[in-house]
């Protein structure tokens, strides 16, 4: 072997050509390998819900982004430990590179649960599965069926799968169940539920350093390790799937249910249940039933309103108020102390007519009807709920949830253990002293926020008094002037009520926005034992707050406003005579107009804001 010790030879033109060509060859080779790697990924359609092999179904997706900060290294370490523990739990993972995402920054971790994992946890969770086809005839003839045919959907949409007798799954008795294909035996909603059960309990600490706090997907989402976690939809909703291996149930739901022009059709509850699960199915069943029952109340309410409209000219007291010889000769006392003058009763003519539209003889009938309607609504819903529980095998479902599914947060935070006298097994528990302290703190927080609502209402009332005095100050100084401020239909009371209602609505939405987060925080602080207990506690807190928040102002107008004003010469003041804020009176046409204004602004504004929020933040 000869070693060259001298300087390198002077490059010739051939050497120069090689120096230019070789990097190009390697660049082309790199591009070829990159292209080849994309071919090896078996690119699929956008409707695919499978791994790149086209066989294993995607049951859940976690997403994350690169973070090159110091905190990003900790996130990377947590992801490695968490994903390694997921693999130990039996789940199969596949990563989509950030170059495949729309923003070019997000990685997607696809998760698949094989049959062994599904069978094991279906046994643990006692998920009900079919074991025999239902041979009980369920078809019955509906009277006047032709009348309801325009509102019905095709049978294949209403009943997308056959009906079966079911039983809790038992892994040791697999032959007992109707298993034709293990890949499709568990529906997507059940597969998602099982995978999430594992994700919520899987730790992300190392074996040599067991930290019970480092457990569960929820903590990883809170600390930013993963940006989001979600189950995968089966296809694009606006057109059916082109992939024969992928379902088009999402498209069917959009076409026959979520489409605007299907608002009058019956809901395909079985398809909703199959795609989203029983919990979401029950919610939409209740929402549809509630809407149907409200239709009857709306019809009766419209009839009562039309009665008031048709008897508009027959209202005796309004005629007397508007009469120049009767209402025009009655002089009323000033509505405020300093700047308000005397006014004639016939100034409230228009308000009296408006009040008759909502407060007439038919209103009494409507109140009686609504009392009966509420009772019928509850009883009919109980029947409807019982029927769905039987058809969907949800009988004793809540009891099973209560006994079997402890919240992972409860298992993590309750370090104490004690023997269960029923099951004779050791289980986590929360000491009584800690439970009482947490309950008292939670209750005090709810009471504080309810007191904050009352304080805001008092502030709005003070605003009413101050602004009414301002409106009244621009009235004419004539002793018998009309009490008109803006046009011929708006009085100082009505103008004040409209502006105060708008301010009250803004306060309601702000308080509701913050309280939703506070309610979740204090419910988490109580550490409920089961998911059912957690939902019940959170629902109770939200109900108490929202009931007071939305209806306390209406309650004030309906039952308190105008009741404590005193009499001429001895009026009652809100904060004492030194404040000069005389308790407000109702509009001369009555408080019902103001109550109607308050309800319209709050309820319509809430509905409008909810629709805008759902459209912008789905």
């Amino acid at each position: 072997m000869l070693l060259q010790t001298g300087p390198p030879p002077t490059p010739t033109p051939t050497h120069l050509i090689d120096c230019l060509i070789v990097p190009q060859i390697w660049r082309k080779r790199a591009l070829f390998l990159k292209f080849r790697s994309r071919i090896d990924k078996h690119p699929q359609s956008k409707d695919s819900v499978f791994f790149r092999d086209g066989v294993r179904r995607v049951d859940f997706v976690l997403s994350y982004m690169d973070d090159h900060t110091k905190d990003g290294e900790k996130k990377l370490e947590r992801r490695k430990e968490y994903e390694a523990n997921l693999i130990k739990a039996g789940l199969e993972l596949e990563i989509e590179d950030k170059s495949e995402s729309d923003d070019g920054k997000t990685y997607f971790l696809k998760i698949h649960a094989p049959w062994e994992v599904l069978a094991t946890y279906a046994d643990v969770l006692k998920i009900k599965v079919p074991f025999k086809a239902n041979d009980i005839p369920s078809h019955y003839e509906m009277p006047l069926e032709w009348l309801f045919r325009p509102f019905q959907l095709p049978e294949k949409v209403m009943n997308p799968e056959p009906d079966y007798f079911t039983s809790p799954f038992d892994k040791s008795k697999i032959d007992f169940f109707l298993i034709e294909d293990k890949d499709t035996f568990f529906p997507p909603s059940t597969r998602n539920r099982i995978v999430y059960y594992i994700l919520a309990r899987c730790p992300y600490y190392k074996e040599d350093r067991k930290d019970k706090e480092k457990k569960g997907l929820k903590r990883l989402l809170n600390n930013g390790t993963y940006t989001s976690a979600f189950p995968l939809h089966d296809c694009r909703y606006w057109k059916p799937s082109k992939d024969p291996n992928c379902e088009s149930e999402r498209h069917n739901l959009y076409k026959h249910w979520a489409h605007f022009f299907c608002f009058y059709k019956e809901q395909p509850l079985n398809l909703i249940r199959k795609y989203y699960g029983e919990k979401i199915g029950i919610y939409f069943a209740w929402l549809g039933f509630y809407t149907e029952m409200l239709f009857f109340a709306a019809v009766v309410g419209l009839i009562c309103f039309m009665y008031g409209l048709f008897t508009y000219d027959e209202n005796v007291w309004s005629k007397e108020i508007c009469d120049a010889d009767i209402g025009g000769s009655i002089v009323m006392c000033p509505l405020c102390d300093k700047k308000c003058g005397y006014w004639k009763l016939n100034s409230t003519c228009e308000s009296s007519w408006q009040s008759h539209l909502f407060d007439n003889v038919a209103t009494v009938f409507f109140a009686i009807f609504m009392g009966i309607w509420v009772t019928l609504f509850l009883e009919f819903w109980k029947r409807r709920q019982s029927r769905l529980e039987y058809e969907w095998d949800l009988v004793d479902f809540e009891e099973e949830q209560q006994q079997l599914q402890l919240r992972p947060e409860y298992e993590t935070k309750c370090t104490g253990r004690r023997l269960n006298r029923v099951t004779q097994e050791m289980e986590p528990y929360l000491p009584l002293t800690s439970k009482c302290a947490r309950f008292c703190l939670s209750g005090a927080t709810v009471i504080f926020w309810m007191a904050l609502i009352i304080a805001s209402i008092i502030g709005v009332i003070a605003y009413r008094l101050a602004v009414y005095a301002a409106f009244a100050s621009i009235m004419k100084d004539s002793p018998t002037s009309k009490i008109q401020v803006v046009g011929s239909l708006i009085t100082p009371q009505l103008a004040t009520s409209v502006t105060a209602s708008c301010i009250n609505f803004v306060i309601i939405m702000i308080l509701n926005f913050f309280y939703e987060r506070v309610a979740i925080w204090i419910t988490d602080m109580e550490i409920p034992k089961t998911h059912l207990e957690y939902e019940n506690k959170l629902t109770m807190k939200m109900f108490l707050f929202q009931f007071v928040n939305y209806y306390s102002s209406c309650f004030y107008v309906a039952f308190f406003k105008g009741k404590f004003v005193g009499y001429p010469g001895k009026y009652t003041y809100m904060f004492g005579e030194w404040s000069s804020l005389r308790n407000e009176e109702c509009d001369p046409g009555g408080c019902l107009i103001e109550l109607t204004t308050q309800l319209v602004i709050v309820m319509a504004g809430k509905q409008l804001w909810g629709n805008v929020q759902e459209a912008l933040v789905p």
Side-chain angles (χ1 to χ4, degrees):
M1 180 181 292
L2 296 176
L3 296 178
Q4 182 177 353
T5 58
T10 303
T12 62
T14 305
H15 289 90
L16 291 172
I17 294 173
D18 291 338
C19 291
L20 294 174
I21 292 177
V22 170
Q24 294 179 1
I25 293 175
W26 280 104
R27 190 179 296 111
K28 290 181 179 180
R29 179 177 176 82
L31 292 174
F32 171 77
L33 291 176
K34 185 176 181 180
F35 177 76
R36 181 64 180 270
S37 65
R38 291 189 175 182
I39 293 177
D40 292 339
K41 285 184 178 180
H42 300 289
Q44 298 168 309
S45 67
K46 294 183 179 180
D47 298 327
S48 177
V49 292
F50 297 94
F51 278 17
R52 287 191 289 268
D53 57 13
V55 177
R56 293 173 294 175
R57 184 184 183 91
V58 179
D59 296 316
F60 224 84
V61 178
L62 306 180
S63 65
Y64 60 91
M65 301 174 67
D66 284 329
D67 189 350
H68 300 290
T69 63
K70 186 176 181 180
D71 188 44
E73 297 178 1
K74 296 180 180 179
K75 294 179 182 178
L76 178 61
E77 186 67 23
R78 286 194 290 261
R79 281 197 296 268
K80 287 182 179 179
E81 295 298 331
Y82 186 67
E83 292 168 13
N85 290 329
L86 289 179
I87 294 175
K88 290 179 182 178
L91 299 178
E92 298 177 3
L93 312 179
E94 186 177 77
I95 297 179
E96 285 290 338
D97 190 74
K98 62 181 181 180
S99 61
E100 303 293 335
S101 62
D102 290 338
D103 59 2
K105 301 178 181 179
T106 306
Y107 293 89
F108 293 100
L109 177 66
K110 299 181 290 187
I111 302 175
H112 168 75
W115 167 256
E116 283 298 322
V117 174
L118 294 173
T120 300
Y121 283 92
D123 192 355
V124 171
L125 299 176
K126 301 300 179 185
I127 294 175
K128 293 183 178 181
V129 294
F131 68 90
K132 181 183 178 182
N134 189 354
D135 54 0
I136 299 176
S138 58
H139 296 283
Y140 61 94
E141 294 185 0
M142 182 185 297
L144 301 176
E145 184 178 0
W146 59 270
L147 189 61
F148 299 96
R149 197 165 296 159
F151 307 102
Q152 296 176 350
L153 291 172
E155 180 66 21
K156 64 179 181 180
V157 177
M158 290 299 299
N159 299 291
E161 56 186 3
D163 191 16
Y164 296 99
F165 292 112
T166 62
S167 174
F169 185 80
D170 189 343
K171 190 177 178 181
S172 63
K173 301 177 181 178
I174 292 181
D175 296 337
F176 175 70
F177 302 102
L178 295 177
I179 305 178
E180 298 179 358
D181 185 357
K182 291 183 178 180
D183 293 333
T184 59
F185 179 67
F186 293 105
S189 58
T190 302
R191 298 175 67 102
N192 298 336
R193 175 186 168 191
I194 291 174
V195 173
Y196 185 75
Y197 182 86
I198 300 173
L199 295 175
R201 288 162 174 79
C202 185
Y204 55 91
Y205 51 76
K206 295 181 179 180
E207 288 294 333
D208 58 345
R209 202 179 90 189
K210 294 189 177 182
D211 187 352
K212 291 183 178 292
E213 289 291 328
K214 294 183 176 181
K215 181 185 291 186
L217 178 62
K218 186 176 180 180
R219 289 182 62 87
L220 292 173
L221 291 172
N222 291 337
N223 59 33
T225 303
Y226 292 102
T227 55
S228 62
F230 50 88
L232 200 62
H233 280 297
D234 61 1
C235 70
R236 288 166 287 184
Y237 68 89
W238 59 89
K239 60 182 178 180
S241 174
K242 296 180 180 179
D243 191 339
N245 296 323
C246 301
E247 303 89 346
S248 295
E249 293 178 355
R250 189 185 183 200
H251 172 69
N252 290 334
L253 284 170
Y254 173 74
K255 181 180 179 182
H256 299 287
W257 177 55
H259 201 274
F260 176 77
F261 295 102
C262 296
F263 70 92
Y264 63 94
K265 294 282 188 178
E266 60 181 333
Q267 295 190 98
L269 294 177
N270 287 323
L271 184 57
I272 298 172
R273 175 223 178 184
K274 180 184 176 183
Y275 190 73
Y276 290 108
E278 288 80 2
K279 191 174 181 180
I280 303 298
I282 283 288
Y283 168 75
F284 281 106
W286 176 85
L287 194 63
F289 180 80
Y290 181 53
T291 305
E292 291 175 7
M293 292 295 291
L294 281 178
F295 173 77
F296 299 103
V299 170
V300 176
L302 181 61
I303 292 175
C304 294
F305 177 80
M306 296 302 294
Y307 173 83
L309 186 62
F310 291 146
T311 58
Y312 192 78
D313 296 329
E314 300 176 6
N315 187 12
V316 177
W317 53 85
S318 294
K319 288 183 177 180
E320 293 179 351
I321 290 175
C322 297
D323 188 88
D325 296 331
I326 302 176
S329 62
I330 299 177
V331 179
M332 307 296 293
C333 293
L335 296 176
C336 62
D337 288 340
K338 296 180 179 181
K339 298 182 179 181
C340 298
Y342 296 92
W343 53 280
K344 292 184 178 180
L345 184 61
N346 63 351
S347 299
T348 64
C349 177
E350 298 295 339
S351 299
S352 177
W353 288 120
Q354 295 170 17
S355 178
H356 177 72
L357 295 176
F358 304 98
D359 188 10
N360 50 66
V361 177
T363 307
V364 179
F365 168 76
F366 182 71
I368 297 173
F369 169 81
M370 290 304 297
I372 300 173
W373 178 89
V374 169
T375 304
L376 293 177
F377 170 76
L378 292 176
E379 296 303 320
F380 286 155
W381 169 243
K382 289 179 183 178
R383 293 176 58 185
R384 178 65 169 155
Q385 184 180 13
S386 299
R387 181 178 175 182
L388 288 175
E389 287 179 353
Y390 173 75
E391 292 178 351
W392 292 357
D393 295 312
L394 299 179
V395 179
D396 298 330
F397 178 76
E398 289 189 351
E399 286 72 13
E400 294 174 3
Q401 294 280 87
Q402 181 79 19
Q403 296 172 4
L404 298 175
Q405 295 193 28
L406 297 179
R407 296 178 64 243
E409 294 82 2
Y410 182 83
E411 297 175 350
T412 301
K413 296 180 179 180
C414 296
T415 56
R417 299 275 171 173
R418 68 179 177 185
L419 181 67
N420 189 316
R421 296 180 180 180
V422 178
T423 61
Q424 294 299 313
E425 295 179 357
M426 298 299 293
E427 64 178 13
Y429 81 101
L430 189 66
L432 183 60
T433 54
S434 177
K435 185 181 295 185
C436 292
R438 294 171 185 273
F439 177 78
C440 291
L441 181 58
S442 175
T445 305
V446 175
I447 292 174
F448 168 77
W449 278 85
M450 293 174 66
L452 193 61
I453 297 172
I454 303 300
S456 66
I457 291 176
I458 293 175
V460 172
I461 293 174
Y463 164 84
R464 287 173 180 265
L465 299 177
V467 171
Y468 174 75
F471 276 123
S473 65
I474 61 176
M475 293 167 53
K476 295 180 180 180
D477 295 331
S478 173
T480 57
S481 64
K482 293 184 178 181
I483 55 172
Q484 298 173 354
V485 176
V486 185
S488 60
L489 300 178
I490 301 181
T491 62
Q493 291 91 340
L494 185 57
T496 303
S497 178
V498 170
T499 56
S501 298
C502 293
I503 294 174
N504 188 62
F505 170 71
V506 173
I507 295 174
I508 286 173
M509 300 310 297
I510 293 174
L511 291 177
N512 195 57
F513 174 80
F514 287 105
Y515 182 79
E516 285 181 0
R517 288 147 181 80
V518 173
I520 294 174
W521 175 74
I522 59 178
T523 306
D524 289 337
M525 181 199 61
E526 293 181 30
I527 318 179
K529 186 175 182 180
T530 64
H531 293 282
L532 178 63
E533 185 179 352
Y534 180 89
E535 291 178 356
N536 289 340
K537 288 186 175 183
L538 181 59
T539 301
M540 179 58 67
K541 293 179 179 62
M542 293 301 300
F543 171 77
L544 288 175
F545 177 82
Q546 290 189 351
F547 180 80
V548 177
N549 193 26
Y550 283 111
Y551 298 109
S552 54
S553 57
C554 298
F555 201 84
Y556 162 74
V557 174
F559 297 102
F560 292 99
K561 185 177 179 180
K563 302 297 190 297
F564 308 100
V565 295
Y567 53 87
K570 191 174 180 58
Y571 290 108
T572 306
Y573 296 84
M574 185 174 182
F575 301 111
E577 293 187 8
W578 60 270
S579 64
S580 300
L581 293 177
R582 199 172 89 187
N583 285 347
E584 60 177 339
E585 301 181 24
C586 291
D587 187 273
C591 277
L592 190 61
I593 291 295
E594 297 183 53
L595 180 61
T596 303
T597 304
Q598 180 87 14
L599 283 172
V600 168
I601 292 175
V602 173
M603 296 297 108
K606 176 178 177 290
Q607 190 71 24
L608 180 62
W609 173 251
N611 292 337
V612 171
Q613 191 175 19
E614 289 180 2
L616 297 179
V617 189

